[in-house]
Amino acid sequence: MNLLNQIKEKVRKAFVDCGLSAENTLVRLSDRPDISDYQSNGALPLAKSMRQNPRALAEQIAEKLRLDLFFETVSVDGPGFINMKIANEVLGKNLFPILADKKCGYERPDTSKTIVMDYGGPNVAKALHVGHLRPAIIGESIKRICRFVGDKVIGDVHLGDWGKPMGLLITELQDRNPALPYFDPNFTGEYPQNAPFTGKDLETMYPIASQHAKEDEAFAARAHENTKLLQDGHRGYRALWKHFISLSVADIRKLYDELGVSFDLWRGESHVHERLWKMIERLRANGTLIKDQGAEIIPLGKSKNGNDLPPVIMVKSDGGVMYAATDIATIEERVEEFHPDAILYVVDARQGLHFEQVFLASQKIGIAKNVSLEHLGFGTINGTDNKPYKTRSGGVPTLRYLIDTAKEAALKKMESGEMGRDLTPDEKASISQIVGVSALKFADLINERIKNYVFDEDKLTSTEGKTGPYLLYAMVRMKSVLEKMNEPATLLAGDTVQITTPAERQLLLRLYALPDSVQTAYDNRTPHVIADYLFKLAQDFNLFYHDCPIKDADKETQQSRLLLTKYTLHVAETVADLLGLQVPEKM
RNA sequence: GUUCCCGUAGCUCAGAUGGAUAGAGCACAGGAUUCCUAAUCCUGGGGCCGUGGGUUCGACUCCCGCCGGGAACGCCA
C-alpha cells in the first residue's frame, strides 16, 4: 500500500476507535511542510455536525495516532487540524515495496475503462502548424496517463480528409494540369500508382487554392462541386484523393514521430462515409431528420442551460455532408467497434458548441447510450501581444519551424559554455533534438489545459528555471552520478535510505507523493499536474545533489545516497514517460 | 444580442473535492564552484487573489451583480 493510503487507513482507524464516522477523514499532503508531512482536516466538519469542540475532537484522534510508531509527531493545530510527521525510519525502509514497481506506488481506486481518444486532427495536404501542437502533446500525455492507471486506450488521429479542402485541391490541380487522366471523364484505365506531385507540392498548393476560392466565385463554386463529386465517388477524384492522403500521412507521421506522439488508428473523416449515409437513411425513415431551408437537420432544442442550440446539419442543401455529421457517424462506429466507456476529444476549446451539439444529437438518436462523451478543450497559444501566436515575420509558425527553433537553441547552449564539450558532433545533434523537443513539449504541458497561454519565443529557447532542459539536466545528473560511481540502476529489496539532511527527507517525501498527482491528473485529465510534479521533483533532487556529497561521503552514507538517487531516477523516468518526454544519456 | 472561458507578484503561471502564514519560474539585487556537469544551488525585496455583495465557524476556491480580456453562435473544419 502506498504511503498516502497507509496514512488514510491509520487515520480512518483512529476515527473509528474514537467512535466517530470515518467517512470524511480529509487526509492529504500537508499545506504546512514546516510542521507536518500529512494532515487530516476531518475533525472540523465532524465537530460541526456533532456540535462539539473541533480541537478537543482532533485531540482525541491524535491521541490514538500517537500510539503508532509510524509517526514521529502528531499535533493538533489551528482550529483542529491534525498534523502528522512520518518517522524517518518508515520513509527510509519502504522504498522498495512501494516505489520499485512500474507504477511507483500508484493504486487504482476504481475499475479499468476502455477509452477512445481523438487528439490529432491534422488535415490532409496542410502542413502541421502551431495549432496542432497542443492536441498532439496534451493528447499523448493524457493517453499515457490513462494507460498508466490501467485503462485500455485506443488513440485515433482522425484525419481531416473529407471536406472542402479536398475539393479546393482537386480544382487547383485541374487548372494547373488539366491533361491528367484524373480529369478525363472518358478515362477507363488504371490510374498511376505514383502521384504526379509531392507532399511539399500539396502544402504549397493548398493556401493558393484557398486564396483563389476567396477571390474567384467561379473557382469556389467548382471546388464546391468537386467536393461533392469526390464524396459521391467520382472515380478519378478518388484516385487523386488517395494520392493526397498517402503523401500527407507520410509527412504527418514523420513529424508526430519526432514529437513522440503516436496513434493506434489513422482513420479519417472519410472512413465513416458509407456508415454515415446508412445512418442518414435510417434517420430519414424514422422521421428524425427534418427538412429546413433546404438542408436536413436534427433539431436540438434547448441545452441544459436552457438556451437555444443551433441544429446539427446532417445533409447540406447541396446534398453534401460536413464535419458534425461525420463526427456523429464516427461515434456510432467507435461505440460499435470498441464498446468504450468514454470517448475523449482533445480539441480546441473553441469547438465547444460543436461538441455540445454532436454529443446531444448522438444521445438523441440513441447511438451513445453507455458512453461518456468528453470534450477536453484547450486554450489557444498566443504571442506576447495576446493574439494568436505568429512568427517574427508574421506567418503562422509550422511545427517544423517550432521544433527546429527549439533544437537550434539547445545546440547553441551546448556550444556556448562548458556543457557537453566532450560530446561528438553526432551526439550534439541527437541530444539537441531531444532537448529541443522536450523544451517545446514541457513549455506547453506545464500550462493548464483550458487556458490560453502566452508563448514567448524566448521562453521556447530558454533553458533555465521551469523548463524542459532543467528537468532533463537533473535527470542526466542522476544518471551521471550512478555511472561515475559504477552503480547499477537496479533496485533491490531490503535496501534502506538513511535520512541525515532535510534535503534527503524532502526528496523522499516527494517520491512517495507521486500517486496523488497521478490521480488528480487522471481524474481531471490535466497533465500539467504531472508536469508540475516533475519540476518539483527535479528541484528537490538538485537541492539534494547540492547539499549531499556522494563521492566523498563515508561508505554507509554513500550507499544510502546512491540508493536515493536510483529511486529518484526511477520515479523521474516514469513521470517523464507520462508526459511523453524523452531523456538523453548526457547533455 | 445570447452563451462559454479567463482575470492571483513588474512579466509568465501553479494553487483538485472550501481550511492554517497564497506558492513557483523569469526579471531585479546580492552570494556559492580546488569537490559527483554552474543548463546548478542559496539569500532578498516584492500581493486589498479584477471589483461589490451573499453563503459559511472559515472563501483565491461556491452563488449573484458589475468591470476588463478572449472566444463561439445553420450549410468551412
Side-chain angles (χ1 to χ4, degrees):
Chain A
M1 203 187 289
N2 68 41
L3 195 65
L4 179 63
N5 284 340
Q6 283 186 49
I7 295 164
K8 278 183 177 167
E9 181 54 28
K10 287 175 189 297
V11 173
R12 191 196 64 79
K13 198 160 172 298
F15 271 63
V16 171
D17 287 350
C18 293
L20 302 166
S21 157
E23 209 159 303
N24 238 346
T25 56
L26 299 177
V27 173
R28 63 165 81 152
L29 270 169
S30 176
D31 291 331
R32 292 286 302 272
D34 52 325
I35 48 180
S36 65
D37 303 327
Y38 288 81
Q39 62 181 354
S40 164
N41 297 349
L44 275 80
L46 206 56
K48 190 186 170 187
S49 67
M50 294 169 66
R51 294 167 181 276
Q52 285 194 17
N53 181 327
R55 274 201 72 111
L57 203 60
E59 192 53 52
Q60 261 186 64
I61 299 159
E63 208 43 55
K64 301 281 183 199
L65 291 170
R66 286 188 189 114
L67 300 174
D68 194 334
L69 292 177
F70 190 88
F71 301 109
E72 171 98 37
T73 59
V74 180
S75 63
V76 174
D77 305 278
F81 304 115
I82 301 169
N83 280 307
M84 294 159 279
K85 200 157 187 167
I86 317 293
N88 283 354
E89 297 71 44
V90 171
L91 294 177
K93 265 185 197 156
N94 285 293
L95 285 156
F96 188 83
I98 296 177
L99 295 175
D101 75 337
K102 276 193 176 344
K103 302 215 170 181
C104 300
Y106 177 79
E107 290 152 21
R108 181 164 192 154
D110 59 353
T111 55
S112 167
K113 307 273 191 294
T114 298
I115 293 176
V116 174
M117 275 188 71
D118 190 319
Y119 59 99
N123 296 304
V124 164
K126 288 159 94 170
L128 290 173
H129 56 80
V130 59
H132 296 104
L133 187 65
R134 299 207 82 189
I137 291 174
I138 297 169
E140 179 69 22
S141 181
I142 293 176
K143 180 182 77 177
R144 287 168 183 237
I145 292 165
C146 290
R147 283 186 178 155
F148 182 83
V149 306
D151 286 343
K152 182 188 169 199
V153 187
I154 300 115
D156 184 6
V157 72
H158 203 61
L159 209 58
D161 65 352
W162 205 229
K164 201 160 116 188
M166 299 302 104
L168 287 171
L169 271 177
I170 291 169
T171 312
E172 180 68 24
L173 201 65
Q174 192 171 30
D175 286 358
R176 291 184 181 205
N177 212 339
L180 289 172
Y182 310 97
F183 304 114
D184 179 359
N186 300 317
F187 187 81
T188 53
E190 287 293 312
Y191 292 104
Q193 285 283 320
N194 294 318
F197 42 78
T198 67
K200 274 275 165 291
D201 292 338
L202 291 178
E203 282 179 15
T204 50
M205 217 154 72
Y206 177 76
I208 296 170
S210 174
Q211 193 59 32
H212 278 169
K214 275 178 200 156
E215 291 162 355
D216 181 350
E217 269 183 43
F219 183 95
R222 281 171 52 222
H224 193 100
E225 177 62 19
N226 283 338
T227 308
K228 181 75 172 47
L229 286 171
L230 169 71
Q231 292 186 353
D232 288 348
H234 183 290
R235 210 174 139 260
Y237 290 1
R238 284 290 177 99
L240 201 51
W241 170 76
K242 280 183 182 153
H243 290 320
F244 295 166
I245 293 178
S246 61
L247 288 176
S248 287
V249 165
D251 289 345
I252 291 168
R253 204 186 270 271
K254 199 165 157 259
L255 262 175
Y256 278 137
D257 279 351
E258 271 187 61
L259 284 178
V261 173
S262 67
F263 300 91
D264 305 292
L265 298 177
W266 279 80
R267 291 180 187 171
E269 295 171 311
S270 63
H271 192 261
V272 294
H273 181 65
E274 285 183 18
R275 172 184 290 277
L276 173 57
W277 282 101
K278 279 184 198 153
M279 178 187 268
I280 288 168
E281 284 306 326
R282 198 173 74 230
L283 296 175
R284 275 175 183 153
N286 69 21
T288 307
L289 286 191
I290 294 181
K291 277 266 183 195
D292 191 83
Q293 298 170 37
E296 291 176 83
I297 63 166
I298 301 175
L300 295 177
K302 295 190 184 302
S303 75
K304 55 183 184 293
N305 299 327
N307 44 303
D308 290 320
L309 281 172
V312 167
I313 296 176
M314 290 299 283
V315 185
K316 297 192 289 179
S317 44
D318 68 359
V321 292
M322 42 189 242
Y323 82 134
T326 56
D327 275 0
I328 291 171
T330 305
I331 289 176
E332 184 187 69
E333 179 185 71
R334 287 169 176 168
V335 168
E336 280 182 17
E337 191 172 345
F338 302 110
H339 310 287
D341 298 290
I343 304 177
L344 271 38
Y345 294 84
V346 183
V347 180
D348 197 312
R350 288 174 292 191
Q351 301 284 330
L353 178 59
H354 167 253
F355 282 111
E356 191 180 356
Q357 291 176 272
V358 166
F359 295 168
L360 204 60
S362 298
Q363 279 150 13
K364 196 166 172 176
I365 64 175
I367 60 168
K369 286 205 177 79
N370 295 309
V371 61
S372 150
L373 302 170
E374 301 173 35
H375 172 211
L376 309 178
F378 52 80
T380 51
I381 303 180
N382 290 338
T384 40
D385 58 356
N386 205 28
K387 290 187 175 148
Y389 173 56
K390 296 265 167 61
T391 57
R392 278 166 185 159
S393 53
V396 174
T398 60
L399 226 38
R400 174 85 275 147
Y401 166 82
L402 292 170
I403 292 172
D404 288 349
T405 306
K407 181 180 174 174
E408 275 164 34
L411 193 61
K412 209 169 147 191
K413 185 78 189 180
M414 238 187 289
E415 280 168 351
S416 71
E418 310 264 307
M419 295 292 110
R421 56 180 172 230
D422 49 351
L423 298 176
T424 67
D426 277 357
E427 282 176 323
K428 280 184 184 174
S430 68
I431 291 167
S432 63
Q433 172 79 17
I434 294 172
V435 174
V437 168
S438 293
L440 188 60
K441 295 182 83 167
F442 187 78
D444 194 293
L445 288 167
I446 193 67
N447 293 289
E448 197 186 354
R449 198 187 75 224
I450 196 66
K451 290 185 178 175
N452 297 347
Y453 77 92
V454 172
F455 187 91
D456 193 337
E457 231 166 88
D458 296 336
K459 204 166 155 185
L460 170 60
T461 57
S462 141
T463 63
E464 283 160 27
K466 212 167 187 169
T467 64
Y470 175 91
L471 311 173
L472 265 34
Y473 183 66
M475 291 174 73
V476 166
R477 273 182 156 176
M478 297 171 206
K479 293 185 184 188
S480 166
V481 168
L482 296 176
E483 193 194 314
K484 290 242 160 87
M485 302 296 295
N486 284 317
E487 184 71 25
T490 42
L491 303 168
L492 298 173
D495 287 341
T496 63
V497 165
Q498 256 117 44
I499 297 174
T500 57
T501 65
E504 289 166 299
R505 193 165 200 285
Q506 192 176 320
L507 180 55
L508 267 172
L509 280 166
R510 184 75 64 196
L511 295 179
Y512 285 115
L514 176 65
D516 203 23
S517 290
V518 170
Q519 192 62 47
T520 303
Y522 175 73
D523 288 344
N524 304 311
R525 282 57 164 117
T526 47
H528 83 277
V529 172
I530 303 283
D532 190 60
Y533 174 88
L534 185 54
F535 174 67
K536 285 177 176 152
L537 180 63
Q539 271 187 317
D540 290 337
F541 176 78
N542 276 332
L543 179 62
F544 158 75
Y545 180 88
H546 181 266
D547 285 3
C548 303
I550 296 174
K551 200 174 77 182
D552 299 329
D554 63 78
K555 191 76 188 154
E556 203 178 336
T557 309
Q558 188 180 80
Q559 276 311 305
S560 164
R561 289 176 179 173
L562 281 172
L563 184 62
L564 184 50
T565 303
K566 282 199 267 186
Y567 274 102
T568 307
L569 180 61
H570 172 61
V571 172
E573 282 183 327
T574 302
V575 176
D577 193 57
L578 286 177
L579 297 173
L581 299 178
Q582 242 191 303
V583 184
E585 290 305 309
K586 301 187 255 187
M587 68 186 273

